[in-house]
Amino acid sequence: MTTQVFLSGADDTLWPAVSQTLIEPGPGRDQWAQARALVSVEGTLVDAPDMHGFRINDFSEDSALVTVAARWPDGTVAALPVQLSRMTGDWKVVLPTQDEAPDLTALSDQHLSEFTPFSPDSEETEP
């Protein structure tokens, strides 16, 4: 979850550390770093999505697939699958390449009950 937030909002001074520390090495990380180097991000993130919760879809000693549910400022509720790996020691996100990137899956408010909330406040489903 932390990685998803840092990927979205890391400013120009922080993103290299995010890339090296939180993302598993591979073609997806390389593509993200190349694309991130082309933009400048400063200040604070405005209208960030509200990260509601997570669901563990698959788990082994060295890898996991977790789905993260979020509500965007426009009221859209969606889920994103996140692949995790311990290939280099610590748990890190495995970024897919642009050709392999999954789409967000639209969710209804009723589907949010299927996710473990990140906080007690996340259980509320009001927009």
Side-chain angles (χ1 to χ4, degrees):
M1 176 58 221
T2 301
T3 301
Q4 300 308 110
V5 172
F6 275 107
L7 285 173
S8 300
D11 66 16
D12 292 346
T13 59
L14 188 58
W15 80 262
V18 169
S19 177
Q20 295 298 313
T21 308
L22 301 176
I23 306 171
E24 199 70 70
R29 181 176 85 172
D30 295 345
Q31 284 184 355
W32 180 83
Q34 290 169 347
R36 178 58 184 85
L38 298 175
V39 297
S40 180
V41 176
E42 295 179 9
T44 57
L45 187 60
V46 178
D47 289 334
D50 173 35
M51 298 300 185
H52 170 78
F54 66 95
R55 179 178 60 212
I56 298 173
N57 301 79
D58 191 31
F59 180 83
S60 72
E61 188 175 311
D62 297 322
S63 67
L65 178 61
V66 177
T67 301
V68 177
R71 182 185 307 277
W72 271 253
D74 68 359
T76 301
V77 180
L80 174 69
V82 178
Q83 182 70 45
L84 301 164
S85 170
R86 287 182 45 177
M87 182 174 58
T88 57
D90 291 329
W91 285 105
K92 295 182 180 183
V93 169
V94 178
L95 290 181
T97 62
Q98 291 175 344
D99 294 338
E100 300 169 335
D103 292 324
L104 292 175
T105 302
L107 298 175
S108 68
D109 284 337
Q110 291 79 17
H111 287 110
L112 291 178
S113 65
E114 300 170 9
F115 291 82
T116 301
F118 285 118
S119 73
D121 295 337
S122 294
E123 292 180 31
E124 298 176 16
T125 58
E126 291 183 33

